[in-house]
């Protein structure tokens, strides 16, 4: 998982270790979005400490089962280098409109690795990653601090995102390259883009293998304006 180097503060994180970090972040980020945007009732979440923060995690059995299935499949695709992005789509139940689109782009960290890539935005395979990767050390504290900053921004999103004035549901879209082994329980989905939208770029984090960039796009309110501070779907969803 994680191979410790000469000091206790820096670690050289393996591909598997990076996948676990990214997957855990996705699970945490999705839970934070669902709680902060009121997609599920607040009483269905429990408090727990992670990344030096007090976070809310769902206790809904059906939702936990769904998220576990998604994250398990994503870990396999991440290990093989096939994931390009995860998108959380928030839609109005009554209007059917896409209201928010939380996007987390996944790429090989160019600052930490030198890897052959192919295709438009496809990641290289795991075999290429292992052969051509020059790793640098990074402490878990540094990674957790970067993730903490993203989670804080998700929490603070209520200060600039328009109110959701109708009951909402969510979908998870996982973008993979053409070489990914996709089972029949997954289906193609349209990208669920938003017309008349605003976009806010959030922070990013890196392991010694992957870099994850974050952003949120939302339907612009008629009178809303702000100044920011700084994209296959499972049938069970």
């Amino acid at each position: 998982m994680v191979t410790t180097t000469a000091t206790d503060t820096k670690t050289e994180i393996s591909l598997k270790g990076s996948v676990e970090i990214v997957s855990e972040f996705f699970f945490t980020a999705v839970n934070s979005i669902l709680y902060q945007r009121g997609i599920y009732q607040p009483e269905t979440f429990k408090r727990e400490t992670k990344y030096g923060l007090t976070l809310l995690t769902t206790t809904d059995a059906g939702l936990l089962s769904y998220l576990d299935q998604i994250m398990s499949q994503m870990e396999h695709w991440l290990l093989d280098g096939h994931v390009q992005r995860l998108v959380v789509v928030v839609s109005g139940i009554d209007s059917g409109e896409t209201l928010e689109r939380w996007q987390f782009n996944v790429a090989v960290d160019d600052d930490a690795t030198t890897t052959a890539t192919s295709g438009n935005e496809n990641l290289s395979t795991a075999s290429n990653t292992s052969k051509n990767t020059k790793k640098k050390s990074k402490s878990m504290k540094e990674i957790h601090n970067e993730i903490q900053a993203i989670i804080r921004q998700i929490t603070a999103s209520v200060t600039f995102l328009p109110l959701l004035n109708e009951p909402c549901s969510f979908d998870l879209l996982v973008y993979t390259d053409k070489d990914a082994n996709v089972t029949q329980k997954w289906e193609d989905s349209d990208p669920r883009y938003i017309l008349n939208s605003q976009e806010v770029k959030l922070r990013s984090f890196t392991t010694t293998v992957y870099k994850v960039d974050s952003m949120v796009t939302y339907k612009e309110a008629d009178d809303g304006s702000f100044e920011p501070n700084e994209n296959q779907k499972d049938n069970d969803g």
Side-chain angles (χ1 to χ4, degrees):
M1 178 178 161
V2 175
T3 304
T4 305
T5 58
T7 69
D8 292 332
T9 57
K10 295 287 184 178
T11 55
E12 186 178 287
I13 302 172
S14 66
L15 173 62
K16 184 178 179 181
S18 289
V19 166
E20 291 175 355
I21 291 169
V22 172
S23 179
E24 184 179 49
F25 164 74
F26 282 156
F27 179 83
T28 302
V30 171
N31 271 274
S32 296
I33 292 166
L34 297 181
Y35 176 80
Q36 296 297 334
R37 305 309 289 146
I39 310 302
Y40 283 76
Q41 294 299 315
E43 58 267 22
T44 64
F45 290 81
K46 66 178 181 181
R47 294 180 180 274
E48 58 182 30
T49 301
K50 191 184 297 183
Y51 310 125
L53 298 171
T54 299
L55 303 174
L56 282 301
T57 303
T58 184
T59 59
D60 184 282
L63 178 57
L64 278 172
S65 176
Y66 171 64
L67 293 178
D68 285 345
Q69 290 177 35
I70 299 292
M71 298 307 151
S72 176
Q73 179 62 75
M74 280 195 65
E75 286 189 7
H76 288 292
W77 284 334
L78 282 164
L79 280 170
D80 292 334
H82 294 316
V83 177
Q84 296 174 341
R85 67 181 66 93
L86 171 72
V87 179
V88 183
V89 177
V90 177
S91 304
I93 293 176
D94 297 331
S95 66
E97 287 188 280
T98 300
L99 303 177
E100 295 175 7
R101 200 171 183 276
W102 298 79
Q103 182 169 312
F104 303 94
N105 296 329
V106 181
V108 172
D109 182 7
D110 291 332
D111 292 333
T113 60
T114 303
T115 311
T117 57
S118 61
N120 291 334
E121 46 183 346
N122 296 347
L123 299 179
S124 64
T125 62
S127 59
N128 282 339
T129 301
S130 60
K131 290 177 182 178
N132 301 320
T133 295
K134 292 166 60 178
K135 293 181 181 178
K136 70 177 182 181
S137 296
K138 188 169 187 178
S139 71
M140 289 300 296
K141 180 175 176 56
E142 288 175 309
I143 297 172
H144 284 179
N145 285 345
E146 291 173 354
I147 292 175
Q148 182 187 97
I150 301 173
I151 301 301
R152 287 187 185 276
Q153 287 182 310
I154 294 173
T155 301
S157 65
V158 294
T159 63
F160 62 82
L161 290 175
L163 291 174
L164 298 175
N165 293 319
E166 60 178 307
C168 293
S169 62
F170 84 100
D171 287 307
L172 292 180
L173 310 183
V174 182
Y175 285 69
T176 65
D177 64 29
K178 59 183 176 59
D179 296 322
N181 181 19
V182 180
T183 63
Q184 290 185 345
K185 67 178 296 185
W186 292 75
E187 65 180 14
D188 289 334
S189 171
D190 68 80
R192 312 284 291 276
Y193 291 133
I194 305 172
L195 297 176
N196 301 319
S197 64
Q198 290 275 9
E199 179 182 291
V200 177
K201 290 188 176 182
L202 307 178
R203 299 289 185 97
S204 63
F205 79 91
T206 62
T207 68
T208 53
V209 177
Y210 284 118
K211 179 178 182 180
V212 178
D213 291 310
S214 310
M215 67 185 71
V216 58
T217 305
Y218 61 91
K219 184 175 179 61
E220 186 175 16
D222 293 338
D223 58 347
S225 62
F226 74 101
E227 294 183 4
N229 290 327
E230 346 187 23
N231 279 338
Q232 291 162 324
K233 168 182 159 187
D234 192 320
N235 292 337
D236 295 335

